């Protein structure tokens, strides 16, 4: 890790249904979602191997969930990483909805398109 390394930047890429994290302007990872009836359904989070072990997934997910709260939406944590993050960060419990079979079926149909 270089001393000049900048603070990671999280950006919302709405047309691609994801939040991305960048380190020194390089793509380092993403968390992907689909929106349904006022809920942002997170289904996949990944950090590139070159950036593993730096806590970037936590930064990414925390900023994404903060953005969801600011937008007035709710969270559905289908992604195992997001679900694990939420267990440790109860400040998001008030805007988190359970993953249901119906949501999983909807997501599967949506991603198959």
């Amino acid at each position: 890790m270089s001393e000049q390394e900048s603070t990671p930047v999280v950006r919302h890429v709405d047309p691609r249904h994801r939040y991305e994290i960048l380190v020194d302007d390089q793509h380092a990872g993403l968390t992907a979602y689909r929106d349904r009836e006022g809920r942002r359904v997170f289904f996949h989070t990944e950090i590139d191997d070159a950036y593993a072990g730096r806590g970037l997934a936590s930064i990414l997910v925390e900023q994404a969930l903060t953005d969801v709260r600011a937008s007035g939406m709710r969270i559905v944590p289908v992604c195992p990483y997001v679900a694990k993050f939420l267990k440790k960060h109860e400040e998001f419990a008030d805007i988190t909805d359970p993953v249901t079979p119906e949501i999983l079926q909807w997501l599967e149909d949506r991603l198959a398109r």
Side-chain angles (χ1 to χ4, degrees):
M1 192 147 43
S2 73
E3 290 179 34
Q4 285 81 35
E5 187 165 290
S6 59
T7 304
V9 174
V10 174
R11 67 179 180 194
H12 185 196
V13 186
D14 194 44
R16 299 184 75 181
H17 308 286
R18 65 198 207 178
Y19 293 85
E20 297 177 343
I21 189 163
L22 298 107
V23 176
D24 295 326
D25 293 326
Q26 298 297 310
H27 175 89
L30 65 95
T31 186
Y33 66 84
R34 291 295 184 275
D35 288 340
R36 178 176 194 240
E37 298 168 359
R39 294 184 182 99
R40 187 148 285 171
V41 181
F42 287 91
F43 64 89
H44 179 72
T45 301
E46 67 181 43
I47 297 296
D48 298 349
D49 289 345
Y51 297 94
R54 299 191 197 179
L56 296 178
S58 179
I59 294 166
L60 171 61
V61 169
E62 182 171 18
Q63 290 193 29
L65 300 184
T66 299
D67 184 68
V68 173
R69 178 186 298 285
S71 72
M73 296 180 76
R74 298 184 62 80
I75 298 159
V76 181
V78 173
C79 168
Y81 184 86
V82 175
K84 186 174 93 173
F85 180 92
L86 287 166
K87 283 186 175 67
K88 294 180 186 163
H89 295 267
E90 294 183 3
E91 66 269 26
F92 295 105
D94 61 318
I95 61 165
T96 301
D97 288 340
V99 177
T100 62
E102 187 236 353
I103 285 275
L104 292 173
Q105 183 61 57
W106 169 85
L107 183 62
E108 192 177 303
D109 292 345
R110 181 72 22 144
L111 296 178
R113 292 181 185 168

